[in-house]
Amino acid sequence: MAWLILGIAIFTEICWALSLKWAAGVATWQASIVPIALSFLNMGLLALAMRGIPAGTAYAVWTGLGAVGVIIGGILFFGDRVNGVQMGFMALIVVGVVGTKLFASA
């Protein structure tokens, strides 16, 4: 169950980071509420996941997949560009996350 919660936390992390860019573009105080709310939800879910997963493992998976997800979201929603070398390093992050998950004790 902790891994499922961590997966949801990763999704909210991606949404949070992308909402920061969106809110900056909209530039209203109402739009600023979205990333603030997602931040609280995100941190709460990460803390909940850490009850069943070691903190270092949970944080490594959360930040790694969150970073890759934000890059992909930036490409899809904001037209961000990445080159082949960047994609290769993103793949290395995913390999590291998979290895961390496979050899985790929880």
Side-chain angles (χ1 to χ4, degrees):
M1 188 64 158
W3 286 101
L4 176 62
I5 294 168
L6 183 60
I8 297 168
I10 293 165
F11 178 75
T12 60
E13 169 76 0
I14 294 165
C15 292
W16 166 78
L18 294 172
S19 75
L20 286 173
K21 185 166 183 168
W22 168 79
V26 175
T28 64
W29 69 267
Q30 295 94 339
S32 299
I33 294 171
V34 174
I36 292 169
L38 285 170
S39 180
F40 281 103
L41 177 62
N42 183 22
M43 290 296 130
L45 288 167
L46 178 60
L48 189 60
M50 285 183 179
R51 290 182 180 177
I53 302 171
T57 301
Y59 188 72
V61 171
W62 179 75
T63 56
L65 292 183
V68 172
V70 171
I71 293 168
I72 293 169
I75 293 166
L76 295 175
F77 298 116
F78 299 110
D80 295 349
R81 297 184 183 270
V82 297
N83 60 42
V85 174
Q86 289 172 300
M87 290 174 56
F89 282 110
M90 287 171 43
L92 288 174
I93 292 171
V94 172
V95 168
V97 167
V98 169
T100 300
K101 165 68 172 101
L102 287 175
F103 295 99
S105 60

mmCIF file of all heavy atoms in Angstrom, residues 8-60:
data_model
loop_
_atom_site.group_PDB
_atom_site.id
_atom_site.type_symbol
_atom_site.label_atom_id
_atom_site.label_comp_id
_atom_site.label_asym_id
_atom_site.label_seq_id
_atom_site.Cartn_x
_atom_site.Cartn_y
_atom_site.Cartn_z
ATOM 1 N N ILE A 8 0.990 7.899 -6.026
ATOM 2 C CA ILE A 8 0.067 9.037 -6.040
ATOM 3 C C ILE A 8 0.814 10.318 -5.661
ATOM 4 O O ILE A 8 0.577 11.379 -6.240
ATOM 5 C CB ILE A 8 -1.136 8.773 -5.111
ATOM 6 C CG1 ILE A 8 -1.936 7.566 -5.630
ATOM 7 C CG2 ILE A 8 -2.040 10.005 -5.026
ATOM 8 C CD1 ILE A 8 -2.957 7.034 -4.642
ATOM 9 N N ALA A 9 1.738 10.212 -4.698
ATOM 10 C CA ALA A 9 2.543 11.370 -4.307
ATOM 11 C C ALA A 9 3.399 11.848 -5.475
ATOM 12 O O ALA A 9 3.565 13.056 -5.675
ATOM 13 C CB ALA A 9 3.420 11.030 -3.104
ATOM 14 N N ILE A 10 3.933 10.936 -6.247
ATOM 15 C CA ILE A 10 4.737 11.302 -7.418
ATOM 16 C C ILE A 10 3.867 12.034 -8.433
ATOM 17 O O ILE A 10 4.264 13.069 -8.982
ATOM 18 C CB ILE A 10 5.402 10.061 -8.050
ATOM 19 C CG1 ILE A 10 6.449 9.490 -7.097
ATOM 20 C CG2 ILE A 10 6.015 10.388 -9.412
ATOM 21 C CD1 ILE A 10 6.902 8.082 -7.443
ATOM 22 N N PHE A 11 2.671 11.532 -8.648
ATOM 23 C CA PHE A 11 1.753 12.184 -9.584
ATOM 24 C C PHE A 11 1.418 13.598 -9.112
ATOM 25 O O PHE A 11 1.428 14.542 -9.908
ATOM 26 C CB PHE A 11 0.472 11.352 -9.751
ATOM 27 C CG PHE A 11 -0.521 11.990 -10.666
ATOM 28 C CD1 PHE A 11 -0.327 11.977 -12.032
ATOM 29 C CD2 PHE A 11 -1.649 12.630 -10.156
ATOM 30 C CE1 PHE A 11 -1.242 12.587 -12.886
ATOM 31 C CE2 PHE A 11 -2.562 13.233 -10.992
ATOM 32 C CZ PHE A 11 -2.361 13.214 -12.363
ATOM 33 N N THR A 12 1.151 13.758 -7.811
ATOM 34 C CA THR A 12 0.837 15.098 -7.310
ATOM 35 C C THR A 12 2.061 16.009 -7.354
ATOM 36 O O THR A 12 1.933 17.213 -7.539
ATOM 37 C CB THR A 12 0.243 15.067 -5.886
ATOM 38 O OG1 THR A 12 1.169 14.468 -4.979
ATOM 39 C CG2 THR A 12 -1.078 14.338 -5.849
ATOM 40 N N GLU A 13 3.253 15.437 -7.199
ATOM 41 C CA GLU A 13 4.495 16.215 -7.327
ATOM 42 C C GLU A 13 4.625 16.772 -8.740
ATOM 43 O O GLU A 13 4.971 17.941 -8.934
ATOM 44 C CB GLU A 13 5.702 15.327 -6.995
ATOM 45 C CG GLU A 13 7.040 15.921 -7.334
ATOM 46 C CD GLU A 13 7.505 17.000 -6.365
ATOM 47 O OE1 GLU A 13 6.780 17.310 -5.411
ATOM 48 O OE2 GLU A 13 8.586 17.547 -6.593
ATOM 49 N N ILE A 14 4.338 15.946 -9.720
ATOM 50 C CA ILE A 14 4.404 16.374 -11.115
ATOM 51 C C ILE A 14 3.366 17.466 -11.369
ATOM 52 O O ILE A 14 3.682 18.511 -11.958
ATOM 53 C CB ILE A 14 4.206 15.169 -12.053
ATOM 54 C CG1 ILE A 14 5.377 14.193 -11.910
ATOM 55 C CG2 ILE A 14 4.040 15.625 -13.510
ATOM 56 C CD1 ILE A 14 5.120 12.821 -12.505
ATOM 57 N N CYS A 15 2.148 17.241 -10.903
ATOM 58 C CA CYS A 15 1.085 18.238 -11.073
ATOM 59 C C CYS A 15 1.447 19.543 -10.366
ATOM 60 O O CYS A 15 1.212 20.632 -10.903
ATOM 61 C CB CYS A 15 -0.243 17.707 -10.543
ATOM 62 S SG CYS A 15 -0.916 16.344 -11.507
ATOM 63 N N TRP A 16 2.033 19.437 -9.176
ATOM 64 C CA TRP A 16 2.430 20.625 -8.417
ATOM 65 C C TRP A 16 3.451 21.451 -9.203
ATOM 66 O O TRP A 16 3.285 22.655 -9.370
ATOM 67 C CB TRP A 16 3.011 20.220 -7.062
ATOM 68 C CG TRP A 16 3.733 21.335 -6.381
ATOM 69 C CD1 TRP A 16 3.175 22.373 -5.713
ATOM 70 C CD2 TRP A 16 5.150 21.539 -6.350
ATOM 71 N NE1 TRP A 16 4.162 23.215 -5.257
ATOM 72 C CE2 TRP A 16 5.375 22.724 -5.639
ATOM 73 C CE3 TRP A 16 6.240 20.836 -6.845
ATOM 74 C CZ2 TRP A 16 6.657 23.220 -5.406
ATOM 75 C CZ3 TRP A 16 7.502 21.329 -6.622
ATOM 76 C CH2 TRP A 16 7.700 22.506 -5.908
ATOM 77 N N ALA A 17 4.501 20.809 -9.679
ATOM 78 C CA ALA A 17 5.549 21.542 -10.391
ATOM 79 C C ALA A 17 5.016 22.173 -11.671
ATOM 80 O O ALA A 17 5.326 23.334 -11.983
ATOM 81 C CB ALA A 17 6.723 20.617 -10.698
ATOM 82 N N LEU A 18 4.204 21.438 -12.401
ATOM 83 C CA LEU A 18 3.629 21.992 -13.629
ATOM 84 C C LEU A 18 2.647 23.119 -13.313
ATOM 85 O O LEU A 18 2.537 24.084 -14.071
ATOM 86 C CB LEU A 18 2.960 20.890 -14.446
ATOM 87 C CG LEU A 18 3.910 19.827 -15.021
ATOM 88 C CD1 LEU A 18 3.126 18.700 -15.640
ATOM 89 C CD2 LEU A 18 4.882 20.440 -16.009
ATOM 90 N N SER A 19 1.948 23.008 -12.184
ATOM 91 C CA SER A 19 1.003 24.067 -11.810
ATOM 92 C C SER A 19 1.726 25.355 -11.441
ATOM 93 O O SER A 19 1.163 26.447 -11.581
ATOM 94 C CB SER A 19 0.095 23.607 -10.667
ATOM 95 O OG SER A 19 0.764 23.601 -9.417
ATOM 96 N N LEU A 20 2.969 25.257 -10.981
ATOM 97 C CA LEU A 20 3.748 26.470 -10.711
ATOM 98 C C LEU A 20 3.954 27.275 -11.992
ATOM 99 O O LEU A 20 3.789 28.501 -12.009
ATOM 100 C CB LEU A 20 5.108 26.112 -10.107
ATOM 101 C CG LEU A 20 5.131 25.650 -8.665
ATOM 102 C CD1 LEU A 20 6.528 25.182 -8.300
ATOM 103 C CD2 LEU A 20 4.671 26.751 -7.731
ATOM 104 N N LYS A 21 4.318 26.584 -13.060
ATOM 105 C CA LYS A 21 4.532 27.268 -14.339
ATOM 106 C C LYS A 21 3.214 27.814 -14.867
ATOM 107 O O LYS A 21 3.147 28.941 -15.356
ATOM 108 C CB LYS A 21 5.178 26.323 -15.353
ATOM 109 C CG LYS A 21 5.535 27.013 -16.645
ATOM 110 C CD LYS A 21 6.463 26.200 -17.496
ATOM 111 C CE LYS A 21 6.838 26.985 -18.741
ATOM 112 N NZ LYS A 21 7.939 26.399 -19.466
ATOM 113 N N TRP A 22 2.149 27.031 -14.738
ATOM 114 C CA TRP A 22 0.831 27.478 -15.181
ATOM 115 C C TRP A 22 0.393 28.716 -14.402
ATOM 116 O O TRP A 22 -0.059 29.697 -14.991
ATOM 117 C CB TRP A 22 -0.178 26.335 -15.018
ATOM 118 C CG TRP A 22 -1.589 26.794 -15.179
ATOM 119 C CD1 TRP A 22 -2.244 27.038 -16.352
ATOM 120 C CD2 TRP A 22 -2.507 27.094 -14.133
ATOM 121 N NE1 TRP A 22 -3.519 27.473 -16.093
ATOM 122 C CE2 TRP A 22 -3.703 27.512 -14.736
ATOM 123 C CE3 TRP A 22 -2.434 27.051 -12.736
ATOM 124 C CZ2 TRP A 22 -4.825 27.890 -13.999
ATOM 125 C CZ3 TRP A 22 -3.551 27.415 -12.007
ATOM 126 C CH2 TRP A 22 -4.728 27.832 -12.626
ATOM 127 N N ALA A 23 0.524 28.669 -13.080
ATOM 128 C CA ALA A 23 0.091 29.787 -12.240
ATOM 129 C C ALA A 23 0.904 31.043 -12.535
ATOM 130 O O ALA A 23 0.367 32.155 -12.498
ATOM 131 C CB ALA A 23 0.202 29.412 -10.758
ATOM 132 N N ALA A 24 2.171 30.882 -12.831
ATOM 133 C CA ALA A 24 2.998 32.039 -13.180
ATOM 134 C C ALA A 24 2.513 32.681 -14.475
ATOM 135 O O ALA A 24 2.554 33.907 -14.625
ATOM 136 C CB ALA A 24 4.458 31.627 -13.304
ATOM 137 N N GLY A 25 2.030 31.865 -15.393
ATOM 138 C CA GLY A 25 1.508 32.393 -16.649
ATOM 139 C C GLY A 25 0.165 33.073 -16.492
ATOM 140 O O GLY A 25 -0.116 34.090 -17.122
ATOM 141 N N VAL A 26 -0.676 32.534 -15.623
ATOM 142 C CA VAL A 26 -1.996 33.113 -15.379
ATOM 143 C C VAL A 26 -1.856 34.381 -14.523
ATOM 144 O O VAL A 26 -2.551 35.364 -14.734
ATOM 145 C CB VAL A 26 -2.927 32.081 -14.704
ATOM 146 C CG1 VAL A 26 -4.250 32.697 -14.328
ATOM 147 C CG2 VAL A 26 -3.146 30.883 -15.624
ATOM 148 N N ALA A 27 -0.969 34.311 -13.549
ATOM 149 C CA ALA A 27 -0.599 35.456 -12.699
ATOM 150 C C ALA A 27 -1.776 36.092 -11.957
ATOM 151 O O ALA A 27 -1.933 37.298 -11.937
ATOM 152 C CB ALA A 27 0.161 36.490 -13.503
ATOM 153 N N THR A 28 -2.608 35.245 -11.347
ATOM 154 C CA THR A 28 -3.653 35.748 -10.453
ATOM 155 C C THR A 28 -3.472 35.084 -9.095
ATOM 156 O O THR A 28 -2.886 34.008 -8.997
ATOM 157 C CB THR A 28 -5.070 35.429 -10.978
ATOM 158 O OG1 THR A 28 -5.259 34.013 -11.011
ATOM 159 C CG2 THR A 28 -5.286 36.008 -12.370
ATOM 160 N N TRP A 29 -3.994 35.708 -8.067
ATOM 161 C CA TRP A 29 -3.864 35.105 -6.738
ATOM 162 C C TRP A 29 -4.679 33.825 -6.652
ATOM 163 O O TRP A 29 -4.309 32.902 -5.945
ATOM 164 C CB TRP A 29 -4.237 36.102 -5.633
ATOM 165 C CG TRP A 29 -5.690 36.458 -5.582
ATOM 166 C CD1 TRP A 29 -6.316 37.498 -6.190
ATOM 167 C CD2 TRP A 29 -6.708 35.742 -4.879
ATOM 168 N NE1 TRP A 29 -7.657 37.485 -5.923
ATOM 169 C CE2 TRP A 29 -7.938 36.406 -5.108
ATOM 170 C CE3 TRP A 29 -6.717 34.603 -4.081
ATOM 171 C CZ2 TRP A 29 -9.144 35.974 -4.569
ATOM 172 C CZ3 TRP A 29 -7.920 34.184 -3.543
ATOM 173 C CH2 TRP A 29 -9.110 34.863 -3.785
ATOM 174 N N GLN A 30 -5.771 33.730 -7.395
ATOM 175 C CA GLN A 30 -6.575 32.510 -7.382
ATOM 176 C C GLN A 30 -5.795 31.333 -7.971
ATOM 177 O O GLN A 30 -5.879 30.218 -7.466
ATOM 178 C CB GLN A 30 -7.886 32.701 -8.162
ATOM 179 C CG GLN A 30 -8.828 33.703 -7.560
ATOM 180 C CD GLN A 30 -8.679 35.102 -8.143
ATOM 181 O OE1 GLN A 30 -7.644 35.457 -8.712
ATOM 182 N NE2 GLN A 30 -9.722 35.914 -7.986
ATOM 183 N N ALA A 31 -5.031 31.597 -9.017
ATOM 184 C CA ALA A 31 -4.222 30.532 -9.629
ATOM 185 C C ALA A 31 -3.122 30.075 -8.686
ATOM 186 O O ALA A 31 -2.699 28.921 -8.729
ATOM 187 C CB ALA A 31 -3.629 31.005 -10.952
ATOM 188 N N SER A 32 -2.676 30.958 -7.813
ATOM 189 C CA SER A 32 -1.625 30.604 -6.854
ATOM 190 C C SER A 32 -2.097 29.602 -5.818
ATOM 191 O O SER A 32 -1.284 28.918 -5.196
ATOM 192 C CB SER A 32 -1.122 31.862 -6.147
ATOM 193 O OG SER A 32 -0.577 32.755 -7.079
ATOM 194 N N ILE A 33 -3.383 29.495 -5.630
ATOM 195 C CA ILE A 33 -3.936 28.549 -4.658
ATOM 196 C C ILE A 33 -3.695 27.107 -5.096
ATOM 197 O O ILE A 33 -3.476 26.231 -4.257
ATOM 198 C CB ILE A 33 -5.442 28.826 -4.433
ATOM 199 C CG1 ILE A 33 -5.614 30.194 -3.762
ATOM 200 C CG2 ILE A 33 -6.095 27.726 -3.608
ATOM 201 C CD1 ILE A 33 -7.045 30.677 -3.682
ATOM 202 N N VAL A 34 -3.714 26.852 -6.392
ATOM 203 C CA VAL A 34 -3.559 25.481 -6.904
ATOM 204 C C VAL A 34 -2.219 24.875 -6.488
ATOM 205 O O VAL A 34 -2.192 23.792 -5.876
ATOM 206 C CB VAL A 34 -3.770 25.435 -8.431
ATOM 207 C CG1 VAL A 34 -3.462 24.046 -8.980
ATOM 208 C CG2 VAL A 34 -5.191 25.846 -8.782
ATOM 209 N N PRO A 35 -1.078 25.510 -6.772
ATOM 210 C CA PRO A 35 0.184 24.888 -6.338
ATOM 211 C C PRO A 35 0.320 24.808 -4.822
ATOM 212 O O PRO A 35 0.943 23.872 -4.307
ATOM 213 C CB PRO A 35 1.274 25.763 -6.956
ATOM 214 C CG PRO A 35 0.609 26.956 -7.505
ATOM 215 C CD PRO A 35 -0.836 26.682 -7.628
ATOM 216 N N ILE A 36 -0.249 25.755 -4.104
ATOM 217 C CA ILE A 36 -0.180 25.697 -2.638
ATOM 218 C C ILE A 36 -0.935 24.479 -2.123
ATOM 219 O O ILE A 36 -0.424 23.721 -1.303
ATOM 220 C CB ILE A 36 -0.718 27.005 -2.013
ATOM 221 C CG1 ILE A 36 0.230 28.160 -2.326
ATOM 222 C CG2 ILE A 36 -0.903 26.845 -0.506
ATOM 223 C CD1 ILE A 36 -0.326 29.537 -2.002
ATOM 224 N N ALA A 37 -2.143 24.267 -2.634
ATOM 225 C CA ALA A 37 -2.936 23.102 -2.215
ATOM 226 C C ALA A 37 -2.250 21.800 -2.606
ATOM 227 O O ALA A 37 -2.198 20.853 -1.812
ATOM 228 C CB ALA A 37 -4.342 23.180 -2.828
ATOM 229 N N LEU A 38 -1.723 21.748 -3.829
ATOM 230 C CA LEU A 38 -1.032 20.534 -4.271
ATOM 231 C C LEU A 38 0.222 20.274 -3.441
ATOM 232 O O LEU A 38 0.575 19.116 -3.204
ATOM 233 C CB LEU A 38 -0.673 20.634 -5.753
ATOM 234 C CG LEU A 38 -1.826 20.446 -6.732
ATOM 235 C CD1 LEU A 38 -1.402 20.798 -8.147
ATOM 236 C CD2 LEU A 38 -2.378 19.036 -6.667
ATOM 237 N N SER A 39 0.872 21.322 -2.989
ATOM 238 C CA SER A 39 2.061 21.157 -2.153
ATOM 239 C C SER A 39 1.717 20.465 -0.838
ATOM 240 O O SER A 39 2.409 19.535 -0.408
ATOM 241 C CB SER A 39 2.695 22.520 -1.889
ATOM 242 O OG SER A 39 3.832 22.379 -1.087
ATOM 243 N N PHE A 40 0.658 20.902 -0.191
ATOM 244 C CA PHE A 40 0.240 20.265 1.053
ATOM 245 C C PHE A 40 -0.157 18.808 0.830
ATOM 246 O O PHE A 40 0.236 17.922 1.592
ATOM 247 C CB PHE A 40 -0.923 21.030 1.701
ATOM 248 C CG PHE A 40 -0.485 22.246 2.439
ATOM 249 C CD1 PHE A 40 -0.660 23.507 1.892
ATOM 250 C CD2 PHE A 40 0.106 22.151 3.694
ATOM 251 C CE1 PHE A 40 -0.254 24.643 2.571
ATOM 252 C CE2 PHE A 40 0.521 23.269 4.384
ATOM 253 C CZ PHE A 40 0.338 24.526 3.820
ATOM 254 N N LEU A 41 -0.933 18.544 -0.229
ATOM 255 C CA LEU A 41 -1.345 17.173 -0.546
ATOM 256 C C LEU A 41 -0.128 16.311 -0.843
ATOM 257 O O LEU A 41 0.005 15.189 -0.332
ATOM 258 C CB LEU A 41 -2.299 17.183 -1.737
ATOM 259 C CG LEU A 41 -2.770 15.825 -2.247
ATOM 260 C CD1 LEU A 41 -3.553 15.078 -1.172
ATOM 261 C CD2 LEU A 41 -3.612 16.008 -3.500
ATOM 262 N N ASN A 42 0.786 16.838 -1.637
ATOM 263 C CA ASN A 42 1.989 16.129 -2.037
ATOM 264 C C ASN A 42 2.840 15.730 -0.825
ATOM 265 O O ASN A 42 3.250 14.579 -0.687
ATOM 266 C CB ASN A 42 2.769 17.050 -2.985
ATOM 267 C CG ASN A 42 4.003 16.437 -3.536
ATOM 268 O OD1 ASN A 42 4.148 15.231 -3.581
ATOM 269 N ND2 ASN A 42 4.908 17.272 -3.950
ATOM 270 N N MET A 43 3.097 16.678 0.047
ATOM 271 C CA MET A 43 3.930 16.394 1.221
ATOM 272 C C MET A 43 3.235 15.414 2.173
ATOM 273 O O MET A 43 3.879 14.546 2.760
ATOM 274 C CB MET A 43 4.259 17.687 1.980
ATOM 275 C CG MET A 43 5.199 18.593 1.252
ATOM 276 S SD MET A 43 6.802 17.819 1.031
ATOM 277 C CE MET A 43 7.041 18.094 -0.691
ATOM 278 N N GLY A 44 1.936 15.559 2.313
ATOM 279 C CA GLY A 44 1.192 14.632 3.161
ATOM 280 C C GLY A 44 1.267 13.206 2.636
ATOM 281 O O GLY A 44 1.458 12.254 3.407
ATOM 282 N N LEU A 45 1.120 13.047 1.336
ATOM 283 C CA LEU A 45 1.187 11.711 0.746
ATOM 284 C C LEU A 45 2.588 11.124 0.861
ATOM 285 O O LEU A 45 2.747 9.935 1.150
ATOM 286 C CB LEU A 45 0.756 11.755 -0.724
ATOM 287 C CG LEU A 45 -0.736 11.968 -0.972
ATOM 288 C CD1 LEU A 45 -0.984 12.304 -2.431
ATOM 289 C CD2 LEU A 45 -1.525 10.734 -0.552
ATOM 290 N N LEU A 46 3.615 11.957 0.644
ATOM 291 C CA LEU A 46 4.989 11.464 0.784
ATOM 292 C C LEU A 46 5.247 11.014 2.225
ATOM 293 O O LEU A 46 5.827 9.949 2.446
ATOM 294 C CB LEU A 46 5.988 12.540 0.369
ATOM 295 C CG LEU A 46 7.466 12.171 0.502
ATOM 296 C CD1 LEU A 46 7.813 10.961 -0.364
ATOM 297 C CD2 LEU A 46 8.341 13.368 0.132
ATOM 298 N N ALA A 47 4.812 11.798 3.181
ATOM 299 C CA ALA A 47 4.993 11.431 4.587
ATOM 300 C C ALA A 47 4.260 10.137 4.910
ATOM 301 O O ALA A 47 4.782 9.270 5.623
ATOM 302 C CB ALA A 47 4.498 12.560 5.492
ATOM 303 N N LEU A 48 3.066 9.981 4.374
ATOM 304 C CA LEU A 48 2.295 8.757 4.595
ATOM 305 C C LEU A 48 3.001 7.549 3.983
ATOM 306 O O LEU A 48 3.082 6.482 4.597
ATOM 307 C CB LEU A 48 0.894 8.927 4.006
ATOM 308 C CG LEU A 48 -0.138 7.865 4.309
ATOM 309 C CD1 LEU A 48 -0.385 7.740 5.813
ATOM 310 C CD2 LEU A 48 -1.441 8.199 3.599
ATOM 311 N N ALA A 49 3.550 7.709 2.792
ATOM 312 C CA ALA A 49 4.267 6.612 2.135
ATOM 313 C C ALA A 49 5.508 6.222 2.930
ATOM 314 O O ALA A 49 5.870 5.037 2.992
ATOM 315 C CB ALA A 49 4.662 7.016 0.712
ATOM 316 N N MET A 50 6.135 7.197 3.566
ATOM 317 C CA MET A 50 7.351 6.921 4.341
ATOM 318 C C MET A 50 7.091 6.111 5.602
ATOM 319 O O MET A 50 8.027 5.621 6.224
ATOM 320 C CB MET A 50 8.070 8.228 4.686
ATOM 321 C CG MET A 50 8.797 8.833 3.526
ATOM 322 S SD MET A 50 9.684 10.315 4.069
ATOM 323 C CE MET A 50 10.466 10.809 2.565
ATOM 324 N N ARG A 51 5.840 5.925 5.949
ATOM 325 C CA ARG A 51 5.527 5.035 7.077
ATOM 326 C C ARG A 51 5.861 3.588 6.735
ATOM 327 O O ARG A 51 6.152 2.798 7.631
ATOM 328 C CB ARG A 51 4.052 5.139 7.450
ATOM 329 C CG ARG A 51 3.674 6.442 8.078
ATOM 330 C CD ARG A 51 2.217 6.445 8.463
ATOM 331 N NE ARG A 51 1.835 7.705 9.081
ATOM 332 C CZ ARG A 51 0.610 7.984 9.460
ATOM 333 N NH1 ARG A 51 -0.370 7.104 9.292
ATOM 334 N NH2 ARG A 51 0.344 9.151 10.002
ATOM 335 N N GLY A 52 5.793 3.243 5.447
ATOM 336 C CA GLY A 52 6.038 1.867 5.044
ATOM 337 C C GLY A 52 7.255 1.678 4.154
ATOM 338 O O GLY A 52 7.584 0.557 3.782
ATOM 339 N N ILE A 53 7.904 2.772 3.773
ATOM 340 C CA ILE A 53 9.078 2.705 2.902
ATOM 341 C C ILE A 53 10.177 3.522 3.577
ATOM 342 O O ILE A 53 9.901 4.613 4.085
ATOM 343 C CB ILE A 53 8.768 3.314 1.512
ATOM 344 C CG1 ILE A 53 7.587 2.605 0.844
ATOM 345 C CG2 ILE A 53 9.996 3.260 0.603
ATOM 346 C CD1 ILE A 53 7.085 3.288 -0.413
ATOM 347 N N PRO A 54 11.412 3.037 3.574
ATOM 348 C CA PRO A 54 12.489 3.843 4.155
ATOM 349 C C PRO A 54 12.542 5.237 3.522
ATOM 350 O O PRO A 54 12.317 5.399 2.313
ATOM 351 C CB PRO A 54 13.754 3.045 3.829
ATOM 352 C CG PRO A 54 13.279 1.638 3.655
ATOM 353 C CD PRO A 54 11.895 1.746 3.071
ATOM 354 N N ALA A 55 12.848 6.235 4.329
ATOM 355 C CA ALA A 55 12.812 7.626 3.873
ATOM 356 C C ALA A 55 13.705 7.863 2.657
ATOM 357 O O ALA A 55 13.285 8.517 1.696
ATOM 358 C CB ALA A 55 13.211 8.557 5.008
ATOM 359 N N GLY A 56 14.912 7.339 2.675
ATOM 360 C CA GLY A 56 15.828 7.542 1.556
ATOM 361 C C GLY A 56 15.318 6.935 0.270
ATOM 362 O O GLY A 56 15.417 7.539 -0.804
ATOM 363 N N THR A 57 14.747 5.744 0.365
ATOM 364 C CA THR A 57 14.195 5.072 -0.817
ATOM 365 C C THR A 57 13.009 5.846 -1.355
ATOM 366 O O THR A 57 12.915 6.108 -2.555
ATOM 367 C CB THR A 57 13.784 3.629 -0.469
ATOM 368 O OG1 THR A 57 14.936 2.917 -0.002
ATOM 369 C CG2 THR A 57 13.193 2.919 -1.668
ATOM 370 N N ALA A 58 12.084 6.212 -0.466
ATOM 371 C CA ALA A 58 10.888 6.940 -0.889
ATOM 372 C C ALA A 58 11.265 8.267 -1.538
ATOM 373 O O ALA A 58 10.735 8.629 -2.591
ATOM 374 C CB ALA A 58 9.961 7.174 0.298
ATOM 375 N N TYR A 59 12.200 8.975 -0.921
ATOM 376 C CA TYR A 59 12.592 10.287 -1.446
ATOM 377 C C TYR A 59 13.297 10.158 -2.791
ATOM 378 O O TYR A 59 13.059 10.948 -3.704
ATOM 379 C CB TYR A 59 13.473 11.017 -0.442
ATOM 380 C CG TYR A 59 13.752 12.440 -0.839
ATOM 381 C CD1 TYR A 59 12.754 13.406 -0.776
ATOM 382 C CD2 TYR A 59 15.004 12.812 -1.320
ATOM 383 C CE1 TYR A 59 13.000 14.709 -1.163
ATOM 384 C CE2 TYR A 59 15.257 14.111 -1.699
ATOM 385 C CZ TYR A 59 14.258 15.060 -1.628
ATOM 386 O OH TYR A 59 14.504 16.348 -2.011
ATOM 387 N N ALA A 60 14.162 9.166 -2.935
ATOM 388 C CA ALA A 60 14.870 8.963 -4.198
ATOM 389 C C ALA A 60 13.902 8.649 -5.331
ATOM 390 O O ALA A 60 14.015 9.198 -6.438
ATOM 391 C CB ALA A 60 15.903 7.846 -4.052
#
